[in-house]
Amino acid sequence: MNRFEPNFRAGIRPTAAFLAMVALLVLSGCMFSTHSTPQAKSGVLNLQTHDPAANGPAPLDGQWEFYWDRLLSPNDFAPNGEALDTAHYLAFPGTWKGFHLDGETLGGTGQATFRLRLKLWPDARRLVLRLFDITMAYKLWADGKLVAQSGTVGTDADTEIPRRSLVLVEIEPRGNDMELVLQVSNHHFREGGVPESIEIAPPGPLEKDLARQWAISFLFAGCLLIVAVYHLFLFHKNRKLQAAFYFGIYCLFMFGYCTTSNTSLWAANLFLPPLPPALAEYFPLFCYLALGPFLYRFFKSLYPEEIHKAVRYIVDIRLAIFVILLPFAPDYRISQYIALAMLASALYGIYYVQRLMICVRRGHNGAGLLLTGSLVFLLTSLNDTLAHAKIINSLYLLEPGMFFLVSTQSLTLAKRFTHAMEAEEKLSGELERKNASLLAEIEERNRLECEVVNISEEERRRFSSELHDGLCQQLIGARLHASILTDQLSGTKEGEAMASLTALLEASTNDAYRTSRGLWPVEHDPATPGPSLEELARTIAKDTGITVTFEKDCHCVQCTNPNVTTLYRIAQEALSNAVKHACASTIRIELRCFAQGEITLSVRDDGIGREAAARQTSSKGGLGLRIMAHRAAIIHADLQIKDDSNHGTVVTCIAPCTVAATIKRK
């Protein structure tokens, strides 16, 4: 099988999903309406044949009377007024930018008045007007009555206060004819006019549509906020998850954009007090432009080799220019820059789609999901752009597109985290198996070490016994014969020689006995000859002249702890160190056991201490200390060697005692 076939199949899936989404959008909304709505002609809109129950709200689209550079009120449209003689017509929804008037082409800024006369359907008694996304300031009169106002209409940027808003106003026509007069001024944005349809309907449909759109917006916003908090919490727990951090910040900015922009009909206004006009206008735009840097960093953290580094500078500079323009540039220049920035966003989307296709071909984890989400988001953005330009008649789909993109990004991270957790579990399992094997090896080594020590001690015991029963007895016999011969040869030269031989044999016998006693301590086995800790203390005191005392406080009359032999060896080494290096005059040995699972041996001297001894010998510990530590580790004892506060050194060894105290002290 071709080695590229799995990657090719992986690339087919997102492409197929994209084509399916195209077909779905075309069938569900990206085409013109199946029923035609009346269009205004020469400032008159005839709705007498419109059925709001069957066709829904009626858009007031078509030719409105257009009075450029004039802010007129209904009183100016009296039969003898001059406004009637100077009317032009501008198609709604639309902008006056580029409109040809008396041989001139209008710009984006200025002020104007619009007028429309309606012929309503027969039972039109109470109506609701919907004005949406008029970014400038406006006033609206219905039959001479002011019914809606947003911001403050002015003749220049200083006198005008723009405000984006969604207005639903209830009106009662005086009959089947109604006149609408609309003042609009724009001195802050790129284009002036009415970009969205003004709709009219009986009470109910427009309110329900608004509630439905807000509900969907809050659903999307809530999901974005939960996803953002979740991924930021993941990053807080593990700072290596850079993708989770960038994605969490990306979701926060998207949350800010969705709740404060016209995509959600300014849903945040339901809970927050009205923001200053400048902040209400530019905060969602800032959030929109801030999406780019964090989306780039998210993709870069996932696929560092496929995403080019130069793109980061472009998206960062785009945001930086916007921030720099805010305090200095006029509003209409900022509006023009935003249009260019949105065009750049479309190019970024195409770039990401192309790079994600490469990731899919290379078989990268999660690339297919991200490619599908990016394609759908790009398509919904294109749909909204075409719908806003009235090229197609479709619902705005940016929020569902954003939600789909965020969902695929979340699924991608979840998939990567799942793979990471599976790999971690696999490594943990392998580590546990290796740890178990290592523990088994350590236990086996400890068992062998204990066995070696036991064999060594057994050989010591055997050698001590053989020395005691063999050589020592023979030396005693030889000394006795020599004593007899000394007595028999008393007063002769041979008698003097035999006396010297007798003394030598006696010293050799004593040395042999000391060696035998030093090889095997049998305090816990009274049936076997050998030295005890008490006898060890007496021997050291006799041989060195140092005062050595022994104190024993045990719960049992006779200690049967198998670790006593090792404790004896540790005490033996501690006494040897105290005699050789500590310059001690007094040594105290203590052995204590209170049937609480521990037996404690301590050897305390009044010498010069370890540090002074180390300075004298130019060493911080020799073979003896390492042997003591090794012996303590074999029996799982805690060995501590430290200087006493009153000079000298204290060696303490606490060993486990699992022998039941069956013989109580009487």
Side-chain angles (χ1 to χ4, degrees):
M1 183 178 65
N2 189 333
R3 64 188 181 95
F4 293 106
E5 185 174 348
N7 292 339
F8 174 75
R9 291 178 177 176
I12 288 295
R13 288 192 292 269
T15 304
F18 171 69
L19 295 177
M21 181 59 67
V22 171
L24 178 62
L25 291 175
V26 170
L27 292 175
S28 62
C30 291
M31 54 185 180
F32 292 100
S33 175
T34 56
H35 66 274
S36 60
T37 56
Q39 296 286 310
K41 295 181 180 180
S42 301
V44 178
L45 178 59
N46 189 348
L47 296 176
Q48 292 177 336
T49 60
H50 179 74
D51 185 0
N55 299 328
L60 306 184
D61 296 346
Q63 295 177 341
W64 285 51
E65 293 181 10
F66 175 48
Y67 301 91
W68 172 245
D69 200 26
R70 303 172 68 182
L71 297 177
L72 304 175
S73 66
N75 294 331
D76 295 318
F77 291 95
N80 57 350
E82 61 175 344
L84 296 177
D85 300 329
T86 58
H88 296 83
Y89 300 100
L90 180 68
F92 269 29
T95 174
W96 61 61
K97 183 178 181 180
F99 186 81
H100 297 285
L101 181 66
D102 298 332
E104 297 182 0
T105 301
L106 301 182
T109 59
Q111 57 275 340
T113 302
F114 302 92
R115 178 175 179 244
L116 180 68
R117 288 169 289 174
L118 296 173
K119 295 184 179 297
L120 302 172
W121 53 90
D123 56 347
R125 297 293 178 264
R126 294 176 58 244
L127 301 173
V128 174
L129 275 174
R130 177 182 184 268
L131 296 93
F132 168 62
D133 204 18
I134 302 178
T135 59
M136 317 103 208
Y138 67 87
K139 284 184 177 181
L140 176 68
W141 288 267
D143 287 338
K145 180 181 179 181
L146 181 64
V147 294
Q149 180 174 355
S150 181
T152 302
V153 178
T155 57
D156 53 37
D158 295 330
T159 59
E160 178 194 88
I161 301 177
R163 180 172 179 264
R164 287 197 174 203
S165 63
L166 169 66
V167 174
L168 290 179
V169 57
E170 205 172 295
I171 57 177
E172 295 184 4
R174 298 173 182 174
N176 289 332
D177 293 334
M178 185 171 64
E179 179 189 60
L180 298 178
V181 177
L182 177 65
Q183 289 183 0
V184 177
S185 67
N186 174 51
H187 298 281
H188 292 82
F189 302 103
R190 184 168 51 93
E191 295 181 352
V194 179
E196 299 292 336
S197 296
I198 300 175
E199 296 182 330
I200 189 170
L206 291 174
E207 293 88 340
K208 290 181 180 179
D209 182 67
L210 176 60
R212 177 184 60 82
Q213 293 186 55
W214 271 342
I216 295 174
S217 298
F218 284 130
L219 172 64
F220 290 159
C223 292
L224 288 173
L225 187 60
I226 291 173
V227 171
V229 172
Y230 171 74
H231 286 88
L232 290 177
F233 180 77
L234 288 179
F235 175 74
H236 173 70
K237 290 297 182 181
N238 186 355
R239 296 304 174 91
K240 295 182 180 180
L241 300 177
Q242 295 292 325
F245 170 75
Y246 294 136
F247 182 60
I249 299 298
Y250 176 82
C251 289
L252 283 181
F253 279 118
M254 188 174 287
F255 170 81
Y257 173 73
C258 288
T259 54
T260 59
S261 67
N262 58 353
T263 59
S264 65
L265 307 181
W266 302 284
N269 292 340
L270 292 176
F271 302 99
L272 299 177
L275 298 176
L279 181 60
E281 177 65 26
Y282 293 123
F283 177 76
L285 295 177
F286 173 80
C287 292
Y288 175 79
L289 294 178
L291 294 176
F294 287 97
L295 182 62
Y296 165 81
R297 285 165 171 80
F298 171 71
F299 284 137
K300 184 68 174 178
S301 64
L302 295 179
Y303 312 114
E305 295 183 359
E306 286 74 20
I307 305 299
H308 297 99
K309 187 176 181 180
V311 178
R312 182 187 71 181
Y313 301 110
I314 299 175
V315 295
D316 289 349
I317 291 173
R318 184 183 69 156
L319 177 61
I321 292 175
F322 174 75
V323 174
I324 293 173
L325 288 176
L326 282 179
F328 303 109
D331 291 336
Y332 72 93
R333 292 297 184 191
I334 298 177
S335 179
Q336 292 173 345
Y337 176 75
I338 291 298
L340 294 176
M342 290 183 174
L343 177 61
S345 297
L347 298 178
Y348 296 148
I350 296 173
Y351 167 78
Y352 289 136
V353 167
Q354 187 267 338
R355 303 313 297 175
L356 288 173
M357 286 182 175
I358 294 176
C359 294
V360 170
R361 288 199 299 268
R362 294 178 179 178
H364 289 321
N365 184 20
L369 282 172
L370 285 177
L371 176 58
T372 303
S374 300
L375 286 170
V376 172
F377 182 67
L378 184 62
L379 181 63
T380 54
S381 300
L382 178 63
N383 169 82
D384 284 15
T385 301
L386 296 178
H388 186 73
K390 301 304 176 182
I391 298 175
I392 62 174
N393 184 18
S394 172
L395 298 175
Y396 287 112
L397 300 174
L398 184 62
E399 280 192 348
M402 285 183 172
F403 182 75
F404 191 82
L405 176 62
V406 169
S407 299
T408 56
Q409 290 172 331
S410 299
L411 291 174
T412 299
L413 288 180
K415 187 177 180 181
R416 293 174 70 93
F417 292 159
T418 301
H419 287 176
M421 292 176 63
E422 290 176 351
E424 182 180 358
E425 291 178 357
K426 183 179 179 180
L427 292 176
S428 298
E430 293 179 357
L431 183 60
E432 289 178 359
R433 289 192 294 271
K434 290 182 178 179
N435 286 339
S437 176
L438 182 60
L439 289 175
E441 291 180 3
I442 293 174
E443 291 177 358
E444 179 64 15
R445 188 185 69 177
N446 291 338
R447 186 189 67 79
L448 292 175
E449 289 179 350
C450 291
E451 188 173 345
V452 169
V453 171
N454 292 335
I455 293 174
S456 174
E457 295 296 337
E458 179 62 25
E459 287 299 310
R460 285 172 174 266
R461 187 199 66 78
R462 185 185 62 80
F463 187 68
S464 173
S465 178
E466 291 180 357
L467 184 62
H468 182 276
D469 296 339
L471 180 61
C472 290
Q473 302 305 319
Q474 293 173 3
L475 288 174
I476 289 174
R479 184 177 62 80
L480 290 175
H481 284 294
S483 295
I484 294 172
L485 290 175
T486 300
D487 292 339
Q488 292 177 354
L489 298 175
S490 177
T492 63
K493 292 183 178 180
E494 290 80 0
E496 294 178 1
M498 289 303 299
S500 299
L501 179 60
T502 300
L504 181 60
L505 288 172
E506 184 176 2
S508 299
T509 301
N510 292 335
D511 288 342
Y513 269 118
R514 280 195 298 269
T515 302
S516 176
R517 289 193 298 269
L519 286 172
W520 179 246
V522 288
E523 184 181 48
H524 61 290
D525 189 0
T528 305
S532 65
L533 286 173
E534 185 175 4
E535 187 171 350
L536 177 63
R538 287 197 300 268
T539 301
I540 294 295
K542 180 180 178 182
D543 293 343
T544 63
I546 300 174
T547 301
V548 182
T549 60
F550 173 69
E551 297 181 9
K552 178 180 178 182
D553 188 2
C554 292
H555 188 76
C556 304
V557 175
Q558 182 65 43
C559 181
T560 59
N561 192 318
N563 296 326
V564 167
T565 301
T566 303
L567 293 176
Y568 175 86
R569 298 299 180 198
I570 294 174
Q572 198 175 33
E573 184 64 37
L575 287 169
S576 176
N577 289 336
V579 170
K580 293 179 181 178
H581 308 296
C583 303
S585 60
T586 302
I587 303 175
R588 186 168 74 248
I589 307 173
E590 296 179 358
L591 183 67
R592 302 185 185 280
C593 179
F594 302 105
Q596 296 178 350
E598 293 181 348
I599 181 170
T600 303
L601 168 72
S602 66
V603 179
R604 185 187 306 269
D605 65 67
D606 61 351
I608 60 176
R610 289 185 305 155
E611 294 184 1
R615 287 194 297 269
Q616 291 182 0
T617 60
S618 300
S619 173
K620 293 189 177 181
L623 181 62
L625 296 180
R626 292 194 293 270
I627 291 176
M628 282 195 296
H630 178 70
R631 289 183 180 275
I634 290 177
I635 62 174
H636 305 289
D638 180 19
L639 178 67
Q640 298 179 4
I641 305 175
K642 59 184 180 180
D643 290 337
D644 193 6
S645 58
N646 297 323
H647 302 292
T649 304
V650 180
V651 178
T652 305
C653 185
I654 304 175
C657 181
T658 58
V659 178
T662 57
I663 305 176
K664 303 294 183 181
R665 183 183 305 173
K666 297 182 180 179

